[in-house]
Amino acid sequence: MTRVARAIVVGGGPAGAASAWALASQGHDVLVLDRARFPRDKACAEYLSPQASRVLDAMDVLGDVERAGAAQLAGMTVRSPDGGIIHGEFAARHGFAGFRDRGLALRRRRLDPILLEGARRVGADVREGVAVTDVLRDAHGAVCGVTVRDGDGAMRELRADLVIGADGLRSVVGRRTGLAARLPWPFPARVAFVAHWRDVQGIGAHGEMHVERDGYVGLADVGHGETNVAIVVPRAKAAAAAGDAAGFMERWLAQRPQLAPRFVGATRVTPVRATGPFAVRARRAWAPGALLAGDAADFFDPFTGEGIYAALRGGELLGPYAHDALRAGSRDAALRALGAYDGARRREFGGKWVVEKLIGTAVAVPALMNHAARTLGARRDMADLLVGVTGDIVPAREVLRPGFLLRLVAPPSRRAT
């Protein structure tokens, strides 16, 4: 068994492409492995927050994404179970400015090949149709490579100094290193059903979230006249979709009076794909010889649309620490660099993790969601601030301040006007 690269990246989605780009652009020999062949569809909300454009620009692919026909989103509209409306804009009078004031949305079959090409341009070697089945370990127990199955079924061992698991919710690297973990109760285990429709009525420049008592659905323009429709329900209710996911989605939408008329005359143009359950977070994002990025390291719930930005930013963030680990002169120095990456992730995403859990709790409890909608519906400044956080423009600390939280939960008689 010989070394095939300094670093092997498992997974060719946004986290894998960004990780490969971050390392290859620093001169490292990087090999990307993915079981799929691109382009391919993926069950995903397909939304990129405004700040994701900064990472795309750094990777020199922002223009390619825009030329591919990405839709632009100005903000979010959220409907509560009792019909209350929260409307917020990314660009607002909250005093914060991002790299862009609009988000992007594009189908993954168009986005992912662009991101991988960005990694190839700086020297990464991308191999498709190669399934990683396990990690290899050295005499000290550190990860030193992977076992793969090629498209012809042949098994091989590939050695590297560092393995990066960017292989999603059911990460092989996360499981084989013992890092993967499901968040315990009370965090809900939800499952998503995703498909694309044409001719959905009333789709505009805002992403939509419709919260119901038995789940929620997101709608967003993803360019080319297509709408991403993602229904997310508790895992127990997802059992009703067994054997007929398309029928489940159609029945679910038809039972919502505010949504059913909008799908009259609409045509589903892709199969229904399922993903989940969510609420996964690795107990830490590193092991000797390995790092985790993207959904493999953390994915709580798709409601806030954090997935693609967190994957891109996580891969970018990983770069300097992986570089230091590869250049370390000793095992201890390499371990310190890997551990430092975990601390950097907590500093970068910790506030957002708290916000995601608060939002997830409200979504799961109709009375809380209805109350929040009444407050934020009457306080556009607060709504814009919260939407700015989900757009990665406003720091999470702004909505975690006691004053904001008190105004959010206060009864009507105590709310400021």
Side-chain angles (χ1 to χ4, degrees):
M1 180 178 62
T2 58
R3 191 182 75 186
V4 296
R6 294 301 310 278
I8 290 175
V9 177
V10 183
S19 297
W21 164 80
L23 273 177
S25 63
Q26 296 180 87
H28 293 289
D29 182 18
V30 181
L31 173 63
V32 181
L33 305 173
D34 199 294
R35 69 174 62 239
R37 294 190 181 276
F38 296 82
R40 58 94 169 90
D41 276 307
K42 188 83 171 176
C44 176
E46 299 175 322
Y47 154 73
L48 294 85
S49 71
Q51 205 63 5
S53 289
R54 185 198 59 76
V55 186
L56 297 178
D57 186 63
M59 294 177 66
D60 196 28
V61 297
L62 178 57
D64 297 319
V65 171
E66 292 178 326
R67 284 188 290 274
Q72 297 196 18
L73 302 179
M76 297 296 298
T77 298
V78 181
R79 183 185 186 276
S80 68
D82 68 357
I85 298 296
I86 303 168
H87 182 85
E89 304 279 340
F90 295 129
R93 297 179 180 178
H94 43 51
F96 296 91
F99 184 85
R100 289 280 182 91
D101 60 6
R102 291 198 168 213
L104 299 173
L106 185 67
R107 279 181 60 175
R108 291 286 298 274
R109 69 178 295 105
R110 296 186 175 97
L111 174 67
D112 288 4
I114 292 171
L115 299 178
L116 283 173
E117 183 58 28
R120 285 191 179 98
R121 287 175 189 164
V122 293
D125 180 10
V126 180
R127 299 185 192 176
E128 303 172 22
V130 180
V132 173
T133 61
D134 205 346
V135 299
L136 302 174
R137 297 183 183 274
D138 64 18
H140 302 285
V143 175
C144 63
V146 296
T147 302
V148 304
R149 183 177 60 251
D150 290 335
D152 59 4
M155 301 296 293
R156 289 193 297 150
E157 294 182 346
L158 305 178
R159 184 178 178 274
D161 297 312
L162 182 65
V163 173
I164 297 169
D167 46 342
L169 284 172
R170 288 165 291 281
S171 168
V172 171
V173 179
R175 285 186 281 114
R176 298 304 189 190
T177 55
L179 296 174
R182 260 262 314 138
L183 289 174
W185 186 91
F187 300 116
R190 297 186 177 116
V191 175
F193 298 87
V194 185
H196 300 87
W197 263 262
R198 284 189 176 275
D199 301 320
V200 179
Q201 299 177 37
I203 297 297
H206 291 78
E208 301 178 32
M209 303 300 297
H210 297 257
V211 182
E212 304 289 342
R213 294 182 179 276
D214 58 348
Y216 61 85
V217 60
L219 309 176
D221 180 5
V222 290
H224 300 269
E226 297 173 340
T227 298
N228 179 293
V229 181
I231 294 173
V232 182
V233 297
R235 181 165 55 180
K237 294 186 178 296
D244 186 18
F248 174 81
M249 280 196 83
E250 289 166 4
R251 290 190 299 272
W252 202 95
L253 293 167
Q255 292 166 2
R256 320 295 149 172
Q258 82 279 13
L259 291 173
R262 298 175 61 183
F263 282 82
V264 172
T267 304
R268 181 169 55 84
V269 295
T270 63
V272 177
R273 293 177 172 84
T275 185
F278 307 116
V280 172
R281 175 162 299 151
R283 56 188 179 84
R284 69 184 189 203
W286 70 279
L291 293 171
L292 299 180
D295 292 356
D298 168 75
F299 192 92
F300 177 64
D301 189 83
F303 190 89
T304 59
E306 284 301 290
I308 296 180
Y309 170 75
L312 292 171
R313 175 59 183 137
E316 179 188 46
L317 183 70
L318 171 150
Y321 301 96
H323 171 80
D324 289 346
L326 290 171
R327 293 292 177 90
S330 68
R331 174 182 168 84
D332 287 345
L335 293 178
R336 284 195 297 272
L338 298 179
Y341 163 67
D342 215 34
R345 286 186 71 253
R346 288 193 295 271
R347 290 189 296 274
E348 179 77 17
F349 299 117
K352 292 298 292 294
W353 292 339
V354 175
V355 173
E356 288 171 2
K357 288 185 177 64
L358 291 174
I359 292 175
T361 300
V363 168
V365 181
L368 289 178
M369 191 68 213
N370 292 335
H371 180 88
R374 286 191 292 272
T375 299
L376 296 174
R379 290 292 304 265
R380 179 62 182 271
D381 58 329
M382 293 176 65
D384 285 339
L385 204 64
L386 184 57
V387 169
V389 170
T390 66
D392 303 299
I393 293 173
V394 176
R397 65 175 181 270
E398 296 298 317
V399 299
L400 295 175
R401 297 183 188 280
F404 185 96
L405 295 174
L406 286 172
R407 289 194 298 273
L408 184 61
V409 303
S413 60
R414 293 175 54 191
R415 287 187 210 138
T417 58

